Amino acid sequence: MTLPPRAVVVHRATELTELVARHGTRQQAGFFLASRDRSLDSLDARHLAQQEALATVSAAIPLDWRRAVAERNDLDRFVFGPEDVVIAVGQDGLVANVAKYLDGQPVIGVNPEPGWNPGVLVPHEPAAVPDLLVRPAVEERTMVAASTDDGQKLLALNEIYVGHRTHQSARYRLASPEGLEERQSSSGLLVGTGTGSTGWCRSAWQERGSGLRLPSPTEPSLCWFIREAWPSPATGTSYTEGLLTATDHLAVTAEADLVVFGDGIESDTLTITWGQRLDIAVADIHLRLVR
């Protein structure tokens, strides 16, 4: 028997919800802000916009479909099925947060606050969801994968960061696709996709006035940057940026304890210790973003 599709609505707690949780009650949260000449008004408006968007999306799900709801903080424990259709209601970053846990399921990005969110990954208004569920047009976005020599793997839609857990100097040996090797000490390594090249990687690219051509979101290639490489008698700065094609990989051999995380989620990391190797390459899984 074939299971009907399941709509999984993904969202994150609003700023109002988080503030009330921190202070215990709405009144206490209001008092805290009032003592700083601020009010709950803007948070109320944003909270209401998300609640209205979630209600519209929920009403759009066909009655014969199964349904589930997942908050951002629960994604690493949520089990997605092959028949799922994911509806991410929130900021652009929410799509990146959920993408690493998927294996080809389509994602509909819904923007509850067009005046607040750019809408790059959440381009749709809530009222568009009924048509998108039955007639989706999918764009495949390239993702990046990091694999350790003991079998651990991490996916990301925007970028993968490799560095020291407390942001001290990260020490490692870097091997580029061209066969060039160098021992380095830096603030960490960024490897980004075309989707991520509008964010953290673009900041690194722009700051150094790089001449690299950043990849497009659907292009099967990656860009990489070393942050603040430090020259010393034992460490070099010759190889600090580059591009990876679909057949390339970047190898990092740890010479200190390092963490690896994707899309800024530091709570979901890999750890590599002295002597371990990490390979970073274009992922064989794509995000299927409904356009």
Side-chain angles (χ1 to χ4, degrees):
M1 179 179 178
T2 303
L3 289 173
R6 182 176 68 160
V8 181
V9 179
V10 178
H11 67 98
R12 62 175 298 173
T14 64
E15 293 168 335
L16 177 64
T17 300
E18 292 176 339
L19 190 67
V20 171
R22 184 176 302 117
H23 292 280
T25 67
R26 177 183 170 82
Q27 290 73 20
Q28 286 292 332
F31 176 78
F32 172 80
L33 291 182
S35 66
R36 290 157 175 79
D37 295 324
R38 302 189 64 183
S39 74
L40 291 172
D41 292 347
S42 63
L43 300 185
D44 277 330
R46 298 191 64 200
H47 180 81
L48 179 61
Q50 177 166 298
Q51 295 306 304
E52 290 178 343
L54 289 171
T56 301
V57 167
S58 180
I61 300 171
L63 294 177
D64 58 341
W65 284 33
R66 296 172 298 137
R67 60 181 66 202
V69 177
E71 282 202 3
R72 176 184 181 270
N73 292 339
D74 299 327
L75 289 173
D76 60 341
R77 300 183 296 276
F78 190 88
V79 180
F80 290 94
E83 70 286 345
D84 289 346
V85 176
V86 179
I87 309 172
V89 182
Q91 300 174 350
D92 292 294
L94 186 62
V95 175
N97 296 155
V98 73
K100 61 186 293 184
Y101 301 108
L102 301 180
D103 188 6
Q105 295 91 339
V107 178
I108 300 172
V110 175
N111 190 350
E113 300 177 275
W116 190 275
N117 303 320
V120 176
L121 297 176
V122 288
H124 303 293
E125 59 182 27
V129 171
D131 287 338
L132 296 172
L133 287 173
V134 297
R135 290 189 296 273
V138 174
E139 175 184 271
E140 294 199 343
R141 294 280 184 113
T142 297
M143 297 184 69
V144 53
S147 305
T148 65
D149 56 10
D150 61 359
Q152 301 178 78
K153 188 172 182 177
L154 183 71
L155 293 172
L157 176 62
N158 285 332
E159 73 280 312
I160 279 176
Y161 169 80
V162 184
H164 195 278
R165 182 178 296 276
T166 61
H167 300 280
Q168 298 179 46
S169 295
R171 298 186 302 278
Y172 53 86
R173 182 179 292 275
L174 181 76
S176 73
E178 297 79 18
L180 305 172
E181 291 194 18
E182 185 171 66
R183 178 179 285 110
Q184 295 184 342
S185 176
S186 74
S187 297
L189 164 68
L190 288 174
V191 184
T193 65
T195 299
S197 67
T198 61
W200 200 357
C201 284
R202 186 174 186 85
S203 175
W205 173 84
Q206 184 170 330
E207 184 178 14
R208 68 182 60 190
S210 173
L212 285 180
R213 182 190 66 81
L214 298 177
S216 68
T218 59
E219 188 177 341
S221 61
L222 308 170
C223 55
W224 61 271
F225 299 96
I226 304 298
R227 301 172 64 230
E228 302 171 322
W230 175 255
S232 76
T235 58
T237 60
S238 299
Y239 314 118
T240 59
E241 64 178 28
L243 296 175
L244 303 177
T245 68
T247 58
D248 293 333
H249 70 269
L250 196 65
V252 178
T253 302
E255 294 193 347
D257 290 348
L258 304 177
V259 296
V260 185
F261 59 81
D263 297 331
I265 303 180
E266 295 189 48
S267 60
D268 187 5
T269 66
L270 304 180
T271 301
I272 55 175
T273 60
W274 185 283
Q276 274 195 282
R277 174 175 163 137
L278 180 77
D279 284 321
I280 307 175
V282 173
D284 54 7
I285 295 173
H286 293 77
L287 169 68
R288 302 183 67 232
L289 184 66
V290 175
R291 303 303 296 179

mmCIF file of all heavy atoms in Angstrom, residues 209-249:
data_model
loop_
_atom_site.group_PDB
_atom_site.id
_atom_site.type_symbol
_atom_site.label_atom_id
_atom_site.label_comp_id
_atom_site.label_asym_id
_atom_site.label_seq_id
_atom_site.Cartn_x
_atom_site.Cartn_y
_atom_site.Cartn_z
ATOM 1 N N GLY A 209 39.228 41.396 -1.932
ATOM 2 C CA GLY A 209 39.263 41.831 -3.324
ATOM 3 C C GLY A 209 39.609 40.698 -4.262
ATOM 4 O O GLY A 209 40.372 40.869 -5.232
ATOM 5 N N SER A 210 39.045 39.532 -4.023
ATOM 6 C CA SER A 210 39.383 38.339 -4.783
ATOM 7 C C SER A 210 38.937 38.452 -6.236
ATOM 8 O O SER A 210 37.898 39.044 -6.553
ATOM 9 C CB SER A 210 38.715 37.115 -4.147
ATOM 10 O OG SER A 210 38.890 35.970 -4.960
ATOM 11 N N GLY A 211 39.707 37.839 -7.112
ATOM 12 C CA GLY A 211 39.356 37.791 -8.527
ATOM 13 C C GLY A 211 38.632 36.526 -8.919
ATOM 14 O O GLY A 211 38.342 36.315 -10.108
ATOM 15 N N LEU A 212 38.321 35.655 -7.946
ATOM 16 C CA LEU A 212 37.596 34.426 -8.257
ATOM 17 C C LEU A 212 36.200 34.738 -8.778
ATOM 18 O O LEU A 212 35.550 35.676 -8.319
ATOM 19 C CB LEU A 212 37.462 33.545 -7.009
ATOM 20 C CG LEU A 212 38.683 32.780 -6.509
ATOM 21 C CD1 LEU A 212 38.296 31.989 -5.276
ATOM 22 C CD2 LEU A 212 39.246 31.859 -7.575
ATOM 23 N N ARG A 213 35.737 33.927 -9.727
ATOM 24 C CA ARG A 213 34.348 34.010 -10.159
ATOM 25 C C ARG A 213 33.532 33.087 -9.262
ATOM 26 O O ARG A 213 33.711 31.869 -9.284
ATOM 27 C CB ARG A 213 34.208 33.567 -11.614
ATOM 28 C CG ARG A 213 32.767 33.675 -12.141
ATOM 29 C CD ARG A 213 32.631 32.998 -13.484
ATOM 30 N NE ARG A 213 32.830 31.568 -13.396
ATOM 31 C CZ ARG A 213 31.890 30.701 -13.004
ATOM 32 N NH1 ARG A 213 30.700 31.140 -12.637
ATOM 33 N NH2 ARG A 213 32.154 29.409 -12.966
ATOM 34 N N LEU A 214 32.660 33.662 -8.465
ATOM 35 C CA LEU A 214 31.868 32.855 -7.553
ATOM 36 C C LEU A 214 30.845 32.032 -8.330
ATOM 37 O O LEU A 214 30.260 32.514 -9.306
ATOM 38 C CB LEU A 214 31.159 33.749 -6.534
ATOM 39 C CG LEU A 214 32.073 34.561 -5.613
ATOM 40 C CD1 LEU A 214 31.239 35.450 -4.695
ATOM 41 C CD2 LEU A 214 32.976 33.647 -4.804
ATOM 42 N N PRO A 215 30.592 30.790 -7.918
ATOM 43 C CA PRO A 215 29.664 29.924 -8.666
ATOM 44 C C PRO A 215 28.217 30.370 -8.510
ATOM 45 O O PRO A 215 27.855 31.070 -7.559
ATOM 46 C CB PRO A 215 29.891 28.544 -8.029
ATOM 47 C CG PRO A 215 30.405 28.834 -6.662
ATOM 48 C CD PRO A 215 31.209 30.090 -6.768
ATOM 49 N N SER A 216 27.379 29.930 -9.439
ATOM 50 C CA SER A 216 25.947 30.185 -9.361
ATOM 51 C C SER A 216 25.300 29.103 -8.498
ATOM 52 O O SER A 216 25.895 28.038 -8.266
ATOM 53 C CB SER A 216 25.322 30.190 -10.751
ATOM 54 O OG SER A 216 25.361 28.886 -11.310
ATOM 55 N N PRO A 217 24.059 29.317 -8.017
ATOM 56 C CA PRO A 217 23.423 28.360 -7.109
ATOM 57 C C PRO A 217 23.256 26.952 -7.661
ATOM 58 O O PRO A 217 23.297 25.977 -6.914
ATOM 59 C CB PRO A 217 22.064 29.003 -6.823
ATOM 60 C CG PRO A 217 22.301 30.465 -6.993
ATOM 61 C CD PRO A 217 23.266 30.561 -8.122
ATOM 62 N N THR A 218 23.060 26.820 -8.978
ATOM 63 C CA THR A 218 22.837 25.494 -9.564
ATOM 64 C C THR A 218 24.109 24.903 -10.168
ATOM 65 O O THR A 218 24.095 23.766 -10.634
ATOM 66 C CB THR A 218 21.754 25.565 -10.652
ATOM 67 O OG1 THR A 218 22.159 26.487 -11.668
ATOM 68 C CG2 THR A 218 20.426 26.016 -10.051
ATOM 69 N N GLU A 219 25.179 25.654 -10.164
ATOM 70 C CA GLU A 219 26.437 25.191 -10.760
ATOM 71 C C GLU A 219 27.099 24.145 -9.860
ATOM 72 O O GLU A 219 27.218 24.359 -8.647
ATOM 73 C CB GLU A 219 27.364 26.390 -10.945
ATOM 74 C CG GLU A 219 28.622 26.126 -11.724
ATOM 75 C CD GLU A 219 29.439 27.392 -11.913
ATOM 76 O OE1 GLU A 219 28.877 28.498 -11.773
ATOM 77 O OE2 GLU A 219 30.640 27.276 -12.193
ATOM 78 N N PRO A 220 27.560 23.023 -10.413
ATOM 79 C CA PRO A 220 28.188 21.977 -9.593
ATOM 80 C C PRO A 220 29.635 22.305 -9.245
ATOM 81 O O PRO A 220 30.572 21.588 -9.634
ATOM 82 C CB PRO A 220 28.080 20.730 -10.483
ATOM 83 C CG PRO A 220 28.149 21.267 -11.871
ATOM 84 C CD PRO A 220 27.443 22.605 -11.830
ATOM 85 N N SER A 221 29.827 23.392 -8.545
ATOM 86 C CA SER A 221 31.171 23.791 -8.124
ATOM 87 C C SER A 221 31.084 24.553 -6.814
ATOM 88 O O SER A 221 30.012 25.003 -6.410
ATOM 89 C CB SER A 221 31.862 24.639 -9.200
ATOM 90 O OG SER A 221 31.133 25.817 -9.451
ATOM 91 N N LEU A 222 32.235 24.693 -6.159
ATOM 92 C CA LEU A 222 32.315 25.324 -4.848
ATOM 93 C C LEU A 222 33.444 26.347 -4.845
ATOM 94 O O LEU A 222 34.384 26.256 -5.636
ATOM 95 C CB LEU A 222 32.596 24.277 -3.755
ATOM 96 C CG LEU A 222 31.680 23.057 -3.689
ATOM 97 C CD1 LEU A 222 32.253 22.027 -2.711
ATOM 98 C CD2 LEU A 222 30.273 23.462 -3.285
ATOM 99 N N CYS A 223 33.361 27.312 -3.937
ATOM 100 C CA CYS A 223 34.466 28.236 -3.701
ATOM 101 C C CYS A 223 34.988 28.013 -2.289
ATOM 102 O O CYS A 223 34.243 27.597 -1.404
ATOM 103 C CB CYS A 223 34.024 29.687 -3.888
ATOM 104 S SG CYS A 223 32.603 30.186 -2.875
ATOM 105 N N TRP A 224 36.275 28.261 -2.077
ATOM 106 C CA TRP A 224 36.823 28.093 -0.728
ATOM 107 C C TRP A 224 37.773 29.239 -0.393
ATOM 108 O O TRP A 224 38.440 29.791 -1.257
ATOM 109 C CB TRP A 224 37.511 26.741 -0.562
ATOM 110 C CG TRP A 224 38.686 26.467 -1.471
ATOM 111 C CD1 TRP A 224 38.646 25.904 -2.715
ATOM 112 C CD2 TRP A 224 40.075 26.730 -1.198
ATOM 113 N NE1 TRP A 224 39.919 25.805 -3.235
ATOM 114 C CE2 TRP A 224 40.810 26.287 -2.325
ATOM 115 C CE3 TRP A 224 40.763 27.278 -0.116
ATOM 116 C CZ2 TRP A 224 42.194 26.398 -2.394
ATOM 117 C CZ3 TRP A 224 42.149 27.387 -0.186
ATOM 118 C CH2 TRP A 224 42.847 26.941 -1.308
ATOM 119 N N PHE A 225 37.780 29.585 0.892
ATOM 120 C CA PHE A 225 38.597 30.686 1.393
ATOM 121 C C PHE A 225 39.183 30.322 2.751
ATOM 122 O O PHE A 225 38.488 29.776 3.604
ATOM 123 C CB PHE A 225 37.760 31.962 1.544
ATOM 124 C CG PHE A 225 37.153 32.453 0.264
ATOM 125 C CD1 PHE A 225 35.853 32.111 -0.066
ATOM 126 C CD2 PHE A 225 37.879 33.246 -0.621
ATOM 127 C CE1 PHE A 225 35.277 32.553 -1.247
ATOM 128 C CE2 PHE A 225 37.313 33.700 -1.806
ATOM 129 C CZ PHE A 225 36.013 33.347 -2.115
ATOM 130 N N ILE A 226 40.456 30.655 2.942
ATOM 131 C CA ILE A 226 41.102 30.556 4.250
ATOM 132 C C ILE A 226 40.973 31.917 4.938
ATOM 133 O O ILE A 226 41.289 32.949 4.345
ATOM 134 C CB ILE A 226 42.590 30.187 4.125
ATOM 135 C CG1 ILE A 226 42.763 28.888 3.331
ATOM 136 C CG2 ILE A 226 43.224 30.067 5.511
ATOM 137 C CD1 ILE A 226 42.124 27.676 3.978
ATOM 138 N N ARG A 227 40.510 31.913 6.174
ATOM 139 C CA ARG A 227 40.310 33.163 6.901
ATOM 140 C C ARG A 227 41.566 33.503 7.706
ATOM 141 O O ARG A 227 41.984 32.743 8.560
ATOM 142 C CB ARG A 227 39.112 33.042 7.846
ATOM 143 C CG ARG A 227 37.802 32.714 7.147
ATOM 144 C CD ARG A 227 36.698 32.424 8.134
ATOM 145 N NE ARG A 227 36.357 33.574 8.950
ATOM 146 C CZ ARG A 227 36.269 33.561 10.271
ATOM 147 N NH1 ARG A 227 36.526 32.442 10.956
ATOM 148 N NH2 ARG A 227 35.949 34.638 10.935
ATOM 149 N N GLU A 228 42.173 34.637 7.391
ATOM 150 C CA GLU A 228 43.287 35.185 8.190
ATOM 151 C C GLU A 228 44.411 34.173 8.390
ATOM 152 O O GLU A 228 44.817 33.869 9.516
ATOM 153 C CB GLU A 228 42.765 35.673 9.548
ATOM 154 C CG GLU A 228 41.680 36.730 9.439
ATOM 155 C CD GLU A 228 41.026 37.042 10.762
ATOM 156 O OE1 GLU A 228 40.813 36.106 11.559
ATOM 157 O OE2 GLU A 228 40.709 38.221 10.997
ATOM 158 N N ALA A 229 44.917 33.655 7.298
ATOM 159 C CA ALA A 229 46.064 32.738 7.384
ATOM 160 C C ALA A 229 47.278 33.476 7.956
ATOM 161 O O ALA A 229 47.536 34.636 7.621
ATOM 162 C CB ALA A 229 46.385 32.181 6.005
ATOM 163 N N TRP A 230 48.014 32.769 8.829
ATOM 164 C CA TRP A 230 49.120 33.408 9.560
ATOM 165 C C TRP A 230 50.455 32.873 9.045
ATOM 166 O O TRP A 230 50.716 31.664 9.107
ATOM 167 C CB TRP A 230 48.990 33.123 11.051
ATOM 168 C CG TRP A 230 50.123 33.623 11.880
ATOM 169 C CD1 TRP A 230 51.127 32.886 12.444
ATOM 170 C CD2 TRP A 230 50.391 34.980 12.229
ATOM 171 N NE1 TRP A 230 52.001 33.693 13.131
ATOM 172 C CE2 TRP A 230 51.566 35.005 13.012
ATOM 173 C CE3 TRP A 230 49.748 36.194 11.958
ATOM 174 C CZ2 TRP A 230 52.112 36.168 13.526
ATOM 175 C CZ3 TRP A 230 50.294 37.367 12.469
ATOM 176 C CH2 TRP A 230 51.456 37.334 13.242
ATOM 177 N N PRO A 231 51.344 33.770 8.544
ATOM 178 C CA PRO A 231 52.663 33.319 8.090
ATOM 179 C C PRO A 231 53.618 33.159 9.268
ATOM 180 O O PRO A 231 53.680 34.016 10.154
ATOM 181 C CB PRO A 231 53.109 34.449 7.159
ATOM 182 C CG PRO A 231 52.435 35.673 7.708
ATOM 183 C CD PRO A 231 51.130 35.212 8.295
ATOM 184 N N SER A 232 54.353 32.071 9.286
ATOM 185 C CA SER A 232 55.341 31.823 10.335
ATOM 186 C C SER A 232 56.395 30.881 9.765
ATOM 187 O O SER A 232 56.239 30.379 8.646
ATOM 188 C CB SER A 232 54.659 31.197 11.566
ATOM 189 O OG SER A 232 54.371 29.832 11.332
ATOM 190 N N PRO A 233 57.459 30.597 10.516
ATOM 191 C CA PRO A 233 58.444 29.642 10.007
ATOM 192 C C PRO A 233 57.851 28.266 9.713
ATOM 193 O O PRO A 233 58.378 27.527 8.868
ATOM 194 C CB PRO A 233 59.469 29.568 11.153
ATOM 195 C CG PRO A 233 59.369 30.898 11.823
ATOM 196 C CD PRO A 233 57.923 31.266 11.753
ATOM 197 N N ALA A 234 56.742 27.924 10.379
ATOM 198 C CA ALA A 234 56.166 26.584 10.203
ATOM 199 C C ALA A 234 54.877 26.578 9.389
ATOM 200 O O ALA A 234 54.392 25.514 8.999
ATOM 201 C CB ALA A 234 55.898 25.951 11.563
ATOM 202 N N THR A 235 54.300 27.746 9.131
ATOM 203 C CA THR A 235 53.014 27.804 8.426
ATOM 204 C C THR A 235 53.069 28.824 7.298
ATOM 205 O O THR A 235 53.760 29.845 7.398
ATOM 206 C CB THR A 235 51.866 28.184 9.384
ATOM 207 O OG1 THR A 235 52.143 29.445 9.998
ATOM 208 C CG2 THR A 235 51.683 27.112 10.447
ATOM 209 N N GLY A 236 52.301 28.556 6.231
ATOM 210 C CA GLY A 236 52.344 29.425 5.067
ATOM 211 C C GLY A 236 51.002 30.028 4.718
ATOM 212 O O GLY A 236 49.969 29.722 5.330
ATOM 213 N N THR A 237 51.029 30.882 3.685
ATOM 214 C CA THR A 237 49.824 31.588 3.240
ATOM 215 C C THR A 237 49.722 31.596 1.715
ATOM 216 O O THR A 237 49.125 32.493 1.125
ATOM 217 C CB THR A 237 49.829 33.040 3.764
ATOM 218 O OG1 THR A 237 50.987 33.719 3.246
ATOM 219 C CG2 THR A 237 49.856 33.079 5.275
ATOM 220 N N SER A 238 50.289 30.598 1.085
ATOM 221 C CA SER A 238 50.329 30.587 -0.381
ATOM 222 C C SER A 238 49.001 30.194 -1.012
ATOM 223 O O SER A 238 48.680 30.629 -2.120
ATOM 224 C CB SER A 238 51.420 29.622 -0.871
ATOM 225 O OG SER A 238 52.688 30.022 -0.417
ATOM 226 N N TYR A 239 48.227 29.343 -0.334
ATOM 227 C CA TYR A 239 46.990 28.820 -0.908
ATOM 228 C C TYR A 239 45.830 29.182 0.016
ATOM 229 O O TYR A 239 45.583 28.507 1.020
ATOM 230 C CB TYR A 239 47.086 27.303 -1.082
ATOM 231 C CG TYR A 239 48.393 26.864 -1.705
ATOM 232 C CD1 TYR A 239 49.273 26.034 -1.016
ATOM 233 C CD2 TYR A 239 48.768 27.320 -2.965
ATOM 234 C CE1 TYR A 239 50.474 25.648 -1.573
ATOM 235 C CE2 TYR A 239 49.971 26.943 -3.523
ATOM 236 C CZ TYR A 239 50.825 26.111 -2.826
ATOM 237 O OH TYR A 239 52.024 25.750 -3.382
ATOM 238 N N THR A 240 45.155 30.271 -0.312
ATOM 239 C CA THR A 240 44.116 30.763 0.587
ATOM 240 C C THR A 240 42.752 30.896 -0.071
ATOM 241 O O THR A 240 41.803 31.330 0.578
ATOM 242 C CB THR A 240 44.511 32.134 1.169
ATOM 243 O OG1 THR A 240 44.699 33.060 0.091
ATOM 244 C CG2 THR A 240 45.792 32.030 1.998
ATOM 245 N N GLU A 241 42.608 30.538 -1.338
ATOM 246 C CA GLU A 241 41.311 30.567 -1.994
ATOM 247 C C GLU A 241 41.362 29.723 -3.253
ATOM 248 O O GLU A 241 42.444 29.423 -3.779
ATOM 249 C CB GLU A 241 40.896 31.999 -2.346
ATOM 250 C CG GLU A 241 41.811 32.672 -3.351
ATOM 251 C CD GLU A 241 41.357 34.080 -3.713
ATOM 252 O OE1 GLU A 241 40.716 34.728 -2.871
ATOM 253 O OE2 GLU A 241 41.642 34.525 -4.849
ATOM 254 N N GLY A 242 40.181 29.333 -3.730
ATOM 255 C CA GLY A 242 40.140 28.554 -4.956
ATOM 256 C C GLY A 242 38.737 28.077 -5.265
ATOM 257 O O GLY A 242 37.773 28.377 -4.548
ATOM 258 N N LEU A 243 38.625 27.325 -6.350
ATOM 259 C CA LEU A 243 37.361 26.746 -6.781
ATOM 260 C C LEU A 243 37.495 25.234 -6.852
ATOM 261 O O LEU A 243 38.576 24.699 -7.142
ATOM 262 C CB LEU A 243 36.961 27.292 -8.153
ATOM 263 C CG LEU A 243 36.668 28.788 -8.250
ATOM 264 C CD1 LEU A 243 36.419 29.176 -9.701
ATOM 265 C CD2 LEU A 243 35.466 29.152 -7.391
ATOM 266 N N LEU A 244 36.399 24.531 -6.575
ATOM 267 C CA LEU A 244 36.339 23.081 -6.684
ATOM 268 C C LEU A 244 35.276 22.719 -7.715
ATOM 269 O O LEU A 244 34.138 23.170 -7.610
ATOM 270 C CB LEU A 244 35.977 22.436 -5.340
ATOM 271 C CG LEU A 244 36.868 22.721 -4.134
ATOM 272 C CD1 LEU A 244 36.281 22.047 -2.896
ATOM 273 C CD2 LEU A 244 38.284 22.229 -4.384
ATOM 274 N N THR A 245 35.638 21.912 -8.694
ATOM 275 C CA THR A 245 34.661 21.422 -9.646
ATOM 276 C C THR A 245 33.985 20.176 -9.075
ATOM 277 O O THR A 245 34.292 19.732 -7.959
ATOM 278 C CB THR A 245 35.325 21.074 -10.982
ATOM 279 O OG1 THR A 245 36.174 19.920 -10.808
ATOM 280 C CG2 THR A 245 36.168 22.245 -11.492
ATOM 281 N N ALA A 246 33.079 19.599 -9.849
ATOM 282 C CA ALA A 246 32.328 18.436 -9.379
ATOM 283 C C ALA A 246 33.211 17.227 -9.107
ATOM 284 O O ALA A 246 32.835 16.330 -8.352
ATOM 285 C CB ALA A 246 31.249 18.076 -10.399
ATOM 286 N N THR A 247 34.392 17.180 -9.690
ATOM 287 C CA THR A 247 35.288 16.026 -9.507
ATOM 288 C C THR A 247 36.439 16.315 -8.544
ATOM 289 O O THR A 247 37.267 15.439 -8.303
ATOM 290 C CB THR A 247 35.866 15.582 -10.864
ATOM 291 O OG1 THR A 247 36.564 16.686 -11.472
ATOM 292 C CG2 THR A 247 34.752 15.116 -11.797
ATOM 293 N N ASP A 248 36.504 17.528 -8.020
ATOM 294 C CA ASP A 248 37.590 17.907 -7.110
ATOM 295 C C ASP A 248 37.219 17.659 -5.653
ATOM 296 O O ASP A 248 36.043 17.513 -5.306
ATOM 297 C CB ASP A 248 37.910 19.407 -7.248
ATOM 298 C CG ASP A 248 38.505 19.755 -8.593
ATOM 299 O OD1 ASP A 248 39.137 18.880 -9.203
ATOM 300 O OD2 ASP A 248 38.323 20.911 -9.033
ATOM 301 N N HIS A 249 38.237 17.635 -4.807
ATOM 302 C CA HIS A 249 38.002 17.675 -3.367
ATOM 303 C C HIS A 249 39.154 18.423 -2.703
ATOM 304 O O HIS A 249 40.257 18.492 -3.243
ATOM 305 C CB HIS A 249 37.849 16.267 -2.765
ATOM 306 C CG HIS A 249 39.123 15.478 -2.758
ATOM 307 N ND1 HIS A 249 39.492 14.658 -3.797
ATOM 308 C CD2 HIS A 249 40.121 15.386 -1.833
ATOM 309 C CE1 HIS A 249 40.657 14.092 -3.518
ATOM 310 N NE2 HIS A 249 41.064 14.507 -2.349
#
